[in-house]
Amino acid sequence: ASQLWLSDGAVADWPHFARWHYRSHALGFVHRVVVLWHGREAIGIAVFASPAASLALRTRYFRLHRPRSREHLAALNRQLWVLARVVLHPTYRGAGIAAAFVRRACETCPVPWIETLAAMGQVNPFFERAGFVRVGVIRKSGRSGGAYGGRLSAISAAKSRYSEPVYYVFDNRRGAAV
C-alpha cells in the first residue's frame, strides 16, 4: 500500500485502460482524470465528467423542483460530477484497493457531490464500500435508450439492453473546495 499513489491524469491516459472496460470507449465532457500508480506503473483510472441534464432518481434524492430549469442546470454543473469510468488493471483486481482508490479520487474532487451509475451495482456493493450511498435502481421504461436516455452508440445500446443500473451518490462536502 505504501507504493500506491494518485496523480492527476488526462483524457490521453484513458485509451490504455479502455480495453478493460465493458462499456463504450468514448468519453463525454471530462472534468478530471485521476490515475492510480503502483510505483512507476499506472494501474487504475477514474474519469469524472459532466452529468446528464436530468435523472429521475437524482431529482427525487435531492428533492429538486424544475430540474431542467436554467438555474438548476447551472447549479448542477457547479456542484455535481459523474464518475463516468473506473478501471483497475486486471492484475490488481481482488486485492482490496479499488474501493479505497475510488473514495480517495472522489475526495480530491472540487465538487460537493459525485454520482455514478453501475450496471453491476445489484450484485457487487463496490461503490458502497467506496462511500457512495445507494439511491435506487433505474428501471427500463421501454423507451429507446432505457436508463441512458437514448444517447448511446449501437454497440453500447446492445451491451446495455438488459441493464438496470444502480444510481449512487457520494457526499463530498467535507472534501470539496467549494
Side-chain angles (χ1 to χ4, degrees), residues 31 39-40 47 50 59 67 70 98 102 107-108 134-135 137 171:
H31 287 289
R40 295 176 145 191
V47 179
S50 292
T59 299
R70 176 176 286 166
V102 167
E107 290 171 344
T108 64
R134 180 187 172 121
V135 175
V137 177
D171 182 348

Side-chain angles (χ1 to χ4, degrees), residues 4 12 18 20 22-23 54 70-71 80 85 89 92 95 108 111 116 123 129 145 156-157 171:
L4 298 177
W20 297 307
Y22 68 99
R23 296 204 36 93
S54 181
R70 176 176 286 166
E71 297 82 19
L80 184 129
R85 300 284 190 274
H89 187 288
Y92 293 84
T108 64
V111 293
T116 196
V123 295
R129 287 194 306 270
S156 288
D171 182 348

